[in-house]
Every structure is written in structure tokens, then in C-alpha cells.
Amino acid sequence: MKAAMTATSTGVEHVNGNANVTSRRNGQVETSSPEVTSKNHPARKYRHVAAVHSKTRPSCLSHDAEAAPSFIGFRNLMVIVLVVGNLRLMIENLQKYGVLICLSCHDYSRKDVVTGLLLYFLVPCHLFAAYLIELAAAQQALGSRKRIKDGATGPSEEDRRRFHSTWVIVAWAHAVNITLGLAITTYVVYFHIYHPLIGTLTEMHAVIVWLKTASYAFTNRDLRHAYLHPVKGELVPELYTSCPYPQNITMSNLVYFWWAPTLVYQPVYPRTDKIRWIFVAKRLAEVFCLSVFIWVATAQYATPVLVNSLDKIASLDIPSILERLLKLSTISLVIWLAGFFALFQSFLNALAEVLRFGDRSFYDDWWNSESLGAYWRTWNKPVYTYFKRHIYMPMVGRGWSPMASSLAVFTLSAALHEILVGVPTHNIIGVAFLGMFLQLPLIAITAPLEKMKLGKGGKLVGNIIFWVSFTIFGQPFAALMYFYAWQAKYGSVSKRAMAPK
Amino acid sequence: MKAAMTATSTGVEHVNGNANVTSRRNGQVETSSPEVTSKNHPARKYRHVAAVHSKTRPSCLSHDAEAAPSFIGFRNLMVIVLVVGNLRLMIENLQKYGVLICLSCHDYSRKDVVTGLLLYFLVPCHLFAAYLIELAAAQQALGSRKRIKDGATGPSEEDRRRFHSTWVIVAWAHAVNITLGLAITTYVVYFHIYHPLIGTLTEMHAVIVWLKTASYAFTNRDLRHAYLHPVKGELVPELYTSCPYPQNITMSNLVYFWWAPTLVYQPVYPRTDKIRWIFVAKRLAEVFCLSVFIWVATAQYATPVLVNSLDKIASLDIPSILERLLKLSTISLVIWLAGFFALFQSFLNALAEVLRFGDRSFYDDWWNSESLGAYWRTWNKPVYTYFKRHIYMPMVGRGWSPMASSLAVFTLSAALHEILVGVPTHNIIGVAFLGMFLQLPLIAITAPLEKMKLGKGGKLVGNIIFWVSFTIFGQPFAALMYFYAWQAKYGSVSKRAMAPK
């Protein structure tokens, strides 16, 4: 008391100033102000009279506040609540089901693996046939070119006709060859491969090769056309000059394309200088870890939810189905994100690095999609660029409307999706087809949002519609349907429902 | 086909250019490019040869990418997953418990309400006594001042002694008066008010008035001191000149302070010009809606979790207690946020508006706190400024270390918290005291994070520690403990455990 009363002070300015420091929201200033004050200006009188409320000011969340405060802390809180909420669900799951993961109780039968491998080795045979077809076409083109040069005349109408009739034969030969490959694979997978994972891998490989061969045929047709009938000013891309037609018709060129992480054939691709093996190792480690993660998540978390939903679907108990759907949506979303990263980032990058394939743009930032159209354009660029180059653009070029061209693309895509999902699960129930096909009206609905001039509002709404329709309802609904169909065909409702009877 | 083959084209640049457009990630450009292309340059040949892969480029999530992509879509996804996850829990809750909300089955007994009201009307009596004490002190000061002026001498040593002895009497009178008020209220609430909500409101009012009266006494002591012994250059804040001591010693001035949304006495506060009744109505509507929300959330979601945790606490089943704690944390967090907004934003702003109280800085952006210290400085500014002005600063001014002063603040705060929680729930078990008291070591631990030069890393860690310790564990743990103690004393474990036996 004595000390306080005998000390001098800087007076009212300081008393007020102190109150102002308190009012300024700044961690640094706030913490140190009492200590600093006490050091610079020792004891002062009238401490209890300081005007804490020195001016009129609004609360920082009020509309009259000058600037909205930062809400970064709430973003952190959201992450924490998500982690905590799911941690709790994990504890609950463990208490309810115990550990469902089991290394030895897989059901990969020897027969499935051998059949899958046989189908895998069927593919090079079909590719070799495709190579022979192109080789014959190239030989014929070389002859035509020689004739034209010898005659020293421009390409005649007869030449054009001959080119076209050759193309018809080549196209049919390719179609028969590769569709036979796909048909054999599909038949064997549907009737003779029980395990859906082996079936999916085999079927996917056949579909990819089918698409690649079509690209190979189309591209070589146009290259051949350019070779025989060069149009002034309309050159093939400069990139291809290092390997002009027909030099690209070699088996090694085709095998590279078979393995390359793209569906679009080019005689030449941008290549990197060397293989960074450390990069490859890291990407493969990611693939491994994410695969284990997906396996654990599926066995421990997704399977019980799927199993528990069976009787609810059977009795059409709508609120309970909805509850199951919502519970499934989180785990299916996590599995989907992990699968996307494992396949499109880790696996394709590793593959591209080993093949020194330069263009790694396998996806764009689809998570920011403001419409479903943007999503389909960005999440899977190999497929998007394929359909754009070989179906959409040629159709539009021939006078089809963009709408009709899009319809063609999505119809083919829907059919391929149904083949990829329905065949390995032995249930062609059309959900995958419809799921893909119904994207068109959804895209039409969300397209205006993308172009809206509402600033961020429309884009936010578009992004939310995308997430909700796709990950919250679309994916888990399809998973539920195929699981239900699978159970109806093979399974009994049991905890280990994925196991064969 | 014919159309395509007879058309002219801009050639290779365009083919390449087209591939580049595809590679640029821009919704606008991407959508329209096919259509635009087809309009500006009708049909072209060699469509299938376009070099889609025209250059070497990394995937956008790779480390070699030039810039990290935006992740705003994932923020939207987090919000959606939170909403969906909790929607699912709401469906689950409804299926499990049905509707637990019940308007008629409250348990506000008539006796509790009457007792609470009586205690409420006790407060003005004590305030009147406080006014009389200050009035007497002011009269005495007026006499002293007159004597000094008449004598035309400066304040003598004898004057100082007399001032001090008066202050001792005044302080004792105030202390006895207002502590008697608090003691009576505490006794009655603890022994005669069953309902915890009525008890809490009554007890909180008593504690607030206790704090306010202390502020009234301290401030008037310093004003009186300044009035009697003005020190050159050390003026009272300019704001007070419109109502100099002892003009502020009126009953209406004190009643205004009783109601004002502050704990700190000032003879004069910054005032607004008029009352915006629309503003008041909006804030009161918020208070009403949020109160209903809190009531529903408590009855429907928090109570079952609390009830279900009783046997787990009794049997000390740690994993189950943790599971309950985590489940409780989300709902207690939501209730806490709603309660914060209802009280600090809506209610205090409405009250301030009606009283034309200008300084609405009742809180700062505590949600961004990078340490627990920052949180305690910002979330409840009336209490923070009170302790700073009347305890921390005076102690530091008298040579106490900041640490000791903080210890004093938190000890008093801890005691008041225990009174506020333990008395109305009739269980002084010390959890609220400890919860507050243990903030000091937590603040000490997180303080370095706030000052870290790690850039955003340290601040993020500090913010996460704040959220986790406070909202994820601290709050629900305290709620669980007091509920358990309440049940041990009054309740049987039943679905309507909050109802009296």
C-alpha cells in the first residue's frame, strides 16, 4: 500500500492507454502488457479507477462490427470433432464386433487366381493380332504411297476410295479381335471367377485394353490418312516427328502403350530423362499402405454396416435404410478417397516413372468441383481425355450437337461401368449403369451454378451438391445395392458375409 | 465422314492448342472448349491424332507440382460429413429413445421459484446498504475537503491517516454487507432450492453482485483518494469528468451499475444515443431460440449419454468411460457454443442496448486462441477485465510477481466457479475448482506455443491443445462428474434421471 501510494506515474494517458491495449485483440500484446507495464511504470495510484469501458464499440460477431473476425479456429475445431467422432465410433465398433480383421481367412481360390492369370496372358495375343492388322494396313499404305509418288500425281478419287475400303476392313478386323478378347474375359469372369476382386482386376484390364486398342486403331487410321493424303497446313503434331508413320507400327511401341498410364494412343509421348527409383519406391509404399488401410476399413467398418443393412433393405424400412446409408457414407467416402489416392496418385505415378512417361496429369483438383460436370472432367483424366478425343470431338466435328455427343459418351461410359461392377459381382442389376447415366441430368442441373455470377455462393452450392450427391448418397447406395444383390445370390446374413458359403 | 474430310483447318497449332486447353484446370474454359472449337473451326481431319499428352508435367498433388492446389472443397466436405454424421446420430437416437422432450414434465417446484424470487429481491437491499456506506464515506470526504480548503494547506499526514482509517471502516462495512448477501443466498440455494437451474441463476446473480460491489467500493476509494489528495499529472480518466466524485454516489447510478453488462464500476460509461428496439427484439429472439435449442439438445441428446455413463463410472470401465466422454463431447460442445452465443452475444447485447451501454466488447475471437492463456483473456471479457483491474494490476503494482498475481486471480476464480456449480447441484466436489485451478499449469505449458516463431505450426498446435483440453475433455468430464455426484445423491439410474425422486 505504502509503495503504491508514494510512487509517481504517467497518469491518465497511461490509465486509458492500458484499457486500449486490453481492447486490442493481439495475443502478443495482451500477454505481455501487465508485466511490461509494471516494469516500465512501477506502481501507480488510482489503479481501480482505470476506464476499462472507454469507448463505444460493437461485439466482434455483431453485424455492426467493422470486420468479421477470423474463423480459422472453428476450422481446427471441425477437424478435431471429426477425428474425435470417428475415434468414438472406432471404440464402439471394437466393443460391438471385436477384431474382424483376419489374415488367414481370405477366400482367393487357386482356380480363380489361375483363371485370372490365363486371361491376363490372353491380352498380349490380342495385342499381337492388333499389331499384325496395323502392319498389314501400313504395308498397304506404303504401296499406295509408292504408287502415288511413282505416278507423280496427287491422291486420286480412286486412292481415297481404296483408303476407305481398307479402313473398313481394318476397323472390322480390330473390332472382332479385341471385342472377342473382352467377350471371352467377360464370360470367364462372370461364370468362372468367384472372387470379386480378382474378377474386377481381370475385367478392368480387358476393358482398358479394349479402349486402348480402339484408340490405337483410330489414331493409326488418321496417321495413315495424313501419310497418304497430306493436307496443306494440317500437320500431325510436331511431337510425332521423331517417329513418323509407319515407323510407329512396331510391337515394342504397342507394348509400351499397353503399359503406359494413358488410354490415348500417341506414337510418341513426352518422356522424362531418367527413372527416379526413390520416387517409385515411395509411391509403391503408398500403394501398399493405402491398400492395407482400405482392407482394414472394409473388413472392420464397412462390412458390419453392410451386413446390418440387409434385413432393413429386405423389409424396406426407409428410415433405417437412410440411417445405414448415412453411416456407410463416411466410411465409403474414406475408402473412396484412399482408393483414389492409391490408384491415381501413387500407382499411376509409380507406373509413369518406371516407364519414363512424362505427362502425369492423371487428375485435377476435382474436390473443388463446382458442378458434377467439372467433377467428371477432372477426377479421371485418362478416361475423360479418351472420350473427348475419340468420341466427343469427332462427333461434334461431324455436326452432332454437344448434347447428343455427351449422351453418347455417358451411355458408353455407363455400359462400361456396369460391365466393370456387375460382371465381377455376378449381378448385372443396372445400378452402376443408371448411376452413370443419371449424371447427365445432374450435370445439366448443376451447370448453371458453375457459371453463376453470384460470386462464391453458387460455387459453394455446386460443390456441396457434388459432394452430397456423389459421396454421401451415390457411392454408398450403389455399394449397398450390389452387396444386397450379392448376398441374395450367394450369401447368408452372417458376420462374415463376404466369405463364400 | 465426308464433311470431316472436306473441311479445312488451322492445323497442328490448333491440335496442340486444344490439348493444352484440356490441361488447364478452369471450369469455364474446359466446359466450353469443345463447343467453341467446333463453332470457330468447323470439322477438321486427324481428330484422333491430337497430342493429348503434349508435355511433361507432374500430378497436382505431387511434391514436384509448382503450386499446391486449393483444398477448399475438402473444407466443404468436412462440414457436410459433420452434418451428415450428426444427422445419422439423431436418427439413431430417435430410434433408440423416441422423443424425450416433454413440455409438461418439468420439475420447477413452486417453492423453488418463490425462494429464488425472494433471494432476487434481497439484492437491492444489500445494494442500498452499499450505497449508504459510500454516502457516509462521501460525506466524510466532503468534510475533509472543506477542512483542507479552509485551512488552505495541502493534505497533511494526519489527513492521509484519517483517509486510511475511514477506508478500513468502509471496506469492512462493504465486506460484511455483501458477503452476508452472498452467504445467505448460498445457504438457501444449497439447502432449500432443489432445482439446479433456479439455483444456478440465483447463485450467479449473488456472485455477480458480490463482485460488482467490491468493484464499487474499490473504485470509489480511489476516486475519493483522488478527490482528497489530487496528485499532479495523475488525473482520473477524462470520461469521468461529466460526473465527478462525489456526484456519482447516487442510488440511480448504483442501480444502473447493478444492471449494466459489466463487472467493473465506472461513474460514467460510454453510452449510445438511442435504443434500437429492432436490435433488442432480434437479440431476444436469438436468446429464446438458442434456449429452446439448448433445452432440446440437453433433454434429447445429452441426458441419455449421461445416464448411460453412470454404471460405467461406477464400475470404472475406462474404455467405456472414454467412449461416453467422446460421445458427450460433441453435444456438450454444441450446447456450450449455443450457450456462449446466447449469453455473450445475444443477451448481453440486448441488455446493453436497452441500457444504452456503449462498450459491447464482451468477448474477442477466443475460438482462434493459440494458448489457454489467450482463451481466458478473450472469452469472458467482463470477468477478465474485472480480475485484471481489481486484482492482477494492483498486486503487480505493489510488487507481487505476475505469477503470484495470476495465482491469486485463478484461485479466486476457481473458488467462485466451484460455488457457481457445486452449490446449485448440492455437490461441492471440487471438480470445477480444480478444473479452473489446473488452467495455470496448462497456460504455462501452452504459453511458449503462442510466442513460437515456427510460423503457423505452433499456433495451430496451441489452438488444437486449447480445443481438445477444453471442449473435448474438460467440459464433458466436469459435466459427467457433477451428474454422477447428483445421481449418487438424489437419483436412481433411470431414463428420466433429471427428474426428482
Side-chain angles (χ1 to χ4, degrees):
Chain A
M1 194 69 199
K2 279 276 158 69
M5 291 179 75
T6 50
T8 61
S9 163
T10 53
V12 66
E13 290 83 3
H14 192 84
V15 172
N16 271 334
N18 189 33
N20 286 341
V21 167
T22 314
S23 77
R24 245 180 290 133
R25 172 69 183 88
N26 178 324
Q28 214 69 21
V29 171
E30 285 254 276
T31 350
S32 48
S33 73
E35 294 93 316
V36 168
T37 309
S38 66
K39 272 172 206 160
N40 297 355
H41 317 274
R44 255 170 303 107
K45 275 185 215 167
Y46 310 152
R47 219 162 270 105
H48 297 288
V49 301
V52 168
H53 305 289
S54 57
K55 61 174 190 286
T56 297
R57 53 184 169 177
S59 305
C60 69
L61 289 177
S62 288
H63 287 297
D64 15 355
E66 277 160 44
S70 155
F71 290 109
I72 194 87
F74 282 119
R75 190 209 57 184
N76 299 341
L77 179 63
M78 283 204 300
V79 176
I80 295 167
V81 170
L82 273 177
V83 169
V84 165
N86 288 296
L87 211 67
R88 189 189 74 76
L89 290 177
M90 282 164 79
I91 298 177
E92 199 184 72
N93 170 287
L94 206 67
Q95 290 180 330
K96 224 164 157 181
Y97 302 110
V99 177
L100 294 180
I101 296 151
C102 163
L103 261 179
S104 57
C105 47
H106 67 83
D107 51 340
Y108 300 100
S109 74
R110 199 187 159 77
K111 188 195 143 212
D112 282 0
V113 175
V114 170
T115 318
L117 282 176
L118 279 179
L119 287 174
Y120 185 81
F121 287 113
L122 181 71
V123 163
C125 308
H126 286 283
L127 285 178
F128 187 69
Y131 162 66
L132 291 181
I133 295 165
E134 283 302 324
L135 195 64
Q139 292 302 334
Q140 207 255 14
L142 274 173
S144 282
R145 170 88 163 226
K146 200 153 172 272
R147 249 194 326 278
I148 295 167
K149 272 205 176 145
D150 288 351
T153 57
S156 66
E157 192 51 44
E158 213 238 298
D159 264 322
R160 282 193 192 281
R161 228 195 48 238
R162 196 182 298 145
F163 173 82
H164 190 242
S165 62
T166 311
W167 162 239
V168 170
I169 295 165
V170 167
W172 272 106
H174 273 304
V176 168
N177 170 45
I178 203 62
T179 306
L180 192 69
L182 182 61
I184 292 172
T185 308
T186 303
Y187 174 84
V188 174
V189 167
Y190 193 83
F191 289 106
H192 297 289
I193 294 187
Y194 171 80
H195 199 280
L197 184 63
I198 296 172
T200 304
L201 289 177
T202 313
E203 187 70 18
M204 183 171 275
H205 184 223
V207 167
I208 287 172
V209 169
W210 189 79
L211 290 171
K212 283 193 182 199
T213 310
S215 177
Y216 187 65
F218 282 127
T219 308
N220 277 321
R221 189 206 77 95
D222 277 6
L223 286 173
R224 196 157 55 242
H225 191 268
Y227 172 72
L228 289 176
H229 324 290
V231 175
K232 219 181 154 191
E234 184 159 334
L235 298 166
V236 295
E238 227 180 305
L239 184 68
Y240 303 171
T241 47
S242 67
C243 180
Y245 189 84
Q247 286 176 29
N248 66 312
I249 307 299
T250 65
M251 195 60 204
S252 73
N253 182 291
L254 182 54
V255 167
Y256 183 85
F257 175 51
W258 174 28
W259 279 95
T262 179
L263 295 174
V264 167
Y265 177 70
Q266 292 180 197
V268 182
Y269 293 102
R271 301 287 286 271
T272 55
D273 299 328
K274 60 175 176 24
I275 303 172
R276 295 169 294 172
W277 287 107
I278 300 283
F279 181 90
V280 176
K282 278 183 186 168
R283 296 296 85 77
L284 290 180
E286 282 169 7
V287 171
F288 177 77
C289 294
L290 285 168
S291 301
V292 170
F293 172 81
I294 291 171
W295 167 59
V296 169
T298 308
Q300 184 74 40
Y301 302 104
T303 309
V305 181
L306 285 168
V307 170
N308 289 341
S309 63
L310 289 175
D311 52 338
K312 271 126 195 176
I313 300 178
S315 60
L316 275 176
D317 177 359
I318 301 291
S320 295
I321 294 176
L322 194 72
E323 192 267 343
R324 289 288 91 182
L325 210 61
L326 293 181
K327 178 140 192 178
L328 193 59
S329 68
T330 314
I331 186 72
S332 83
L333 172 65
V334 169
I335 292 175
W336 153 256
L337 289 177
F340 169 81
F341 197 91
L343 183 57
F344 282 82
Q345 169 66 12
S346 305
F347 176 71
L348 289 188
N349 262 296
L351 185 60
E353 189 70 29
V354 169
L355 295 175
R356 299 199 291 106
F357 187 86
D359 185 1
R360 312 285 168 88
S361 180
F362 307 120
Y363 56 90
D364 281 324
D365 58 338
W366 55 264
W367 47 90
N368 299 328
S369 297
E370 291 129 13
S371 69
L372 281 152
Y375 169 72
W376 290 111
R377 282 193 298 277
T378 49
W379 91 272
N380 185 340
K381 284 181 74 180
V383 166
Y384 167 68
T385 48
Y386 182 88
F387 282 132
K388 189 177 171 190
R389 193 211 211 200
H390 292 304
I391 300 183
Y392 186 89
M393 294 297 284
M395 282 183 78
V396 167
R398 280 174 210 189
W400 293 77
S401 73
M403 186 67 88
S405 312
S406 296
L407 189 70
V409 166
F410 274 88
T411 310
L412 179 59
S413 175
L416 290 178
H417 270 83
E418 185 65 37
I419 289 177
L420 276 177
V421 181
V423 170
T425 57
H426 316 289
N427 277 295
I428 302 184
I429 55 175
V431 170
F433 182 90
L434 265 182
M436 198 66 206
F437 201 71
L438 289 178
Q439 295 304 317
L440 273 177
L442 277 173
I443 289 171
I445 292 166
T446 54
L449 292 169
E450 191 179 14
K451 287 164 191 165
M452 253 187 196
K453 292 281 172 282
L454 279 178
K456 286 184 173 179
K459 292 184 171 187
L460 183 69
V461 172
N463 189 241
I464 286 174
I465 290 177
F466 149 65
W467 280 119
V468 170
S469 66
F470 183 68
T471 55
I472 307 295
F473 290 105
Q475 298 253 40
F477 182 73
L480 220 58
M481 287 300 109
Y482 281 96
F483 185 78
Y484 183 72
W486 171 275
Q487 282 296 332
K489 198 162 174 179
Y490 295 98
S492 65
V493 178
S494 75
K495 264 199 182 163
R496 299 218 50 78
M498 293 297 280
K501 272 174 84 167
Chain B
M1 194 70 198
K2 278 277 157 69
M5 292 179 75
T6 51
T8 59
S9 162
T10 53
V12 65
E13 291 84 2
H14 193 85
V15 173
N16 270 334
N18 189 36
N20 286 340
V21 166
T22 313
S23 77
R24 243 181 288 133
R25 171 70 185 90
N26 180 324
Q28 214 71 22
V29 171
E30 285 253 276
T31 348
S32 48
S33 73
E35 293 93 314
V36 168
T37 309
S38 66
K39 272 172 205 156
N40 296 355
H41 317 275
R44 254 170 303 109
K45 275 184 214 167
Y46 312 151
R47 219 162 269 108
H48 297 289
V49 301
V52 168
H53 304 289
S54 57
K55 61 174 191 282
T56 296
R57 52 185 170 176
S59 305
C60 71
L61 288 177
S62 288
H63 287 298
D64 14 355
E66 277 160 43
S70 155
F71 290 108
I72 194 87
F74 283 118
R75 190 209 57 185
N76 299 339
L77 179 63
M78 284 205 300
V79 175
I80 295 168
V81 169
L82 274 177
V83 169
V84 164
N86 288 296
L87 210 67
R88 189 190 74 76
L89 289 178
M90 282 164 78
I91 298 177
E92 200 184 72
N93 170 287
L94 206 68
Q95 289 180 329
K96 222 162 157 183
Y97 302 109
V99 176
L100 295 180
I101 297 151
C102 163
L103 260 178
S104 56
C105 46
H106 68 83
D107 51 337
Y108 300 100
S109 76
R110 199 187 158 78
K111 188 195 141 212
D112 282 359
V113 175
V114 170
T115 319
L117 282 176
L118 279 179
L119 286 174
Y120 185 83
F121 288 113
L122 182 72
V123 164
C125 309
H126 286 283
L127 284 178
F128 188 68
Y131 162 67
L132 290 181
I133 295 163
E134 281 303 323
L135 196 64
Q139 292 301 334
Q140 207 253 17
L142 275 171
S144 281
R145 170 86 164 228
K146 196 150 176 276
R147 247 194 329 280
I148 294 167
K149 273 205 175 143
D150 288 352
T153 57
S156 67
E157 194 50 42
E158 214 236 297
D159 264 322
R160 285 192 191 282
R161 228 196 47 240
R162 194 183 299 141
F163 173 83
H164 189 242
S165 63
T166 311
W167 163 239
V168 171
I169 296 164
V170 166
W172 269 107
H174 274 303
V176 168
N177 171 44
I178 203 60
T179 306
L180 194 68
L182 183 61
I184 292 172
T185 307
T186 303
Y187 174 85
V188 174
V189 168
Y190 193 85
F191 289 105
H192 297 290
I193 294 187
Y194 171 80
H195 199 280
L197 184 63
I198 298 173
T200 303
L201 288 176
T202 314
E203 186 71 18
M204 183 172 274
H205 184 223
V207 167
I208 287 171
V209 169
W210 188 79
L211 290 172
K212 284 193 179 198
T213 311
S215 177
Y216 188 65
F218 280 126
T219 309
N220 277 322
R221 190 207 75 97
D222 277 5
L223 286 173
R224 194 158 57 243
H225 191 267
Y227 172 72
L228 288 177
H229 323 291
V231 174
K232 219 181 155 190
E234 183 159 336
L235 299 166
V236 294
E238 229 180 305
L239 184 69
Y240 302 172
T241 47
S242 67
C243 180
Y245 189 86
Q247 287 176 29
N248 65 314
I249 307 298
T250 65
M251 195 59 202
S252 73
N253 182 289
L254 182 55
V255 167
Y256 183 84
F257 174 52
W258 174 29
W259 279 95
T262 178
L263 295 174
V264 166
Y265 178 70
Q266 291 181 195
V268 181
Y269 293 102
R271 301 288 285 271
T272 56
D273 299 329
K274 60 176 176 25
I275 304 173
R276 296 169 293 173
W277 287 107
I278 301 284
F279 181 91
V280 175
K282 280 182 186 168
R283 296 295 85 75
L284 290 180
E286 282 170 7
V287 171
F288 177 78
C289 294
L290 286 167
S291 302
V292 170
F293 172 81
I294 291 170
W295 168 60
V296 169
T298 309
Q300 185 73 40
Y301 301 103
T303 310
V305 181
L306 286 167
V307 170
N308 289 339
S309 62
L310 289 175
D311 52 338
K312 270 127 196 177
I313 300 178
S315 61
L316 274 177
D317 176 358
I318 301 292
S320 297
I321 294 177
L322 192 70
E323 192 268 342
R324 290 288 90 183
L325 211 61
L326 293 183
K327 176 138 194 178
L328 194 59
S329 68
T330 314
I331 186 71
S332 84
L333 172 65
V334 169
I335 292 175
W336 152 256
L337 288 177
F340 169 81
F341 197 91
L343 184 58
F344 281 82
Q345 169 66 11
S346 305
F347 176 72
L348 289 187
N349 261 296
L351 185 61
E353 189 69 30
V354 170
L355 294 175
R356 300 199 291 107
F357 187 86
D359 186 1
R360 314 284 168 88
S361 180
F362 306 121
Y363 57 89
D364 282 323
D365 56 340
W366 55 264
W367 46 89
N368 299 328
S369 298
E370 290 128 14
S371 68
L372 281 153
Y375 169 72
W376 291 110
R377 282 192 300 275
T378 50
W379 91 272
N380 185 340
K381 284 182 74 180
V383 167
Y384 167 68
T385 48
Y386 182 89
F387 282 131
K388 189 176 171 190
R389 191 211 212 199
H390 292 304
I391 299 182
Y392 186 91
M393 293 298 284
M395 281 183 79
V396 167
R398 278 172 213 191
W400 294 77
S401 73
M403 186 68 88
S405 312
S406 295
L407 189 70
V409 166
F410 274 88
T411 310
L412 178 59
S413 176
L416 290 177
H417 269 82
E418 185 65 36
I419 289 177
L420 276 178
V421 181
V423 170
T425 57
H426 316 288
N427 277 296
I428 303 185
I429 56 177
V431 171
F433 182 90
L434 266 183
M436 198 65 207
F437 202 71
L438 289 178
Q439 295 304 317
L440 273 177
L442 276 173
I443 290 172
I445 292 166
T446 54
L449 292 170
E450 191 177 15
K451 286 165 192 164
M452 253 188 198
K453 292 283 173 280
L454 277 180
K456 286 183 171 179
K459 293 184 170 186
L460 182 70
V461 172
N463 188 243
I464 287 174
I465 291 178
F466 149 64
W467 279 118
V468 170
S469 67
F470 183 68
T471 55
I472 306 294
F473 289 106
Q475 299 253 40
F477 182 74
L480 220 59
M481 286 300 109
Y482 281 97
F483 185 78
Y484 183 73
W486 172 275
Q487 281 296 333
K489 197 162 176 179
Y490 296 99
S492 65
V493 178
S494 76
K495 263 200 183 163
R496 299 219 49 80
M498 292 299 278
K501 273 174 79 164

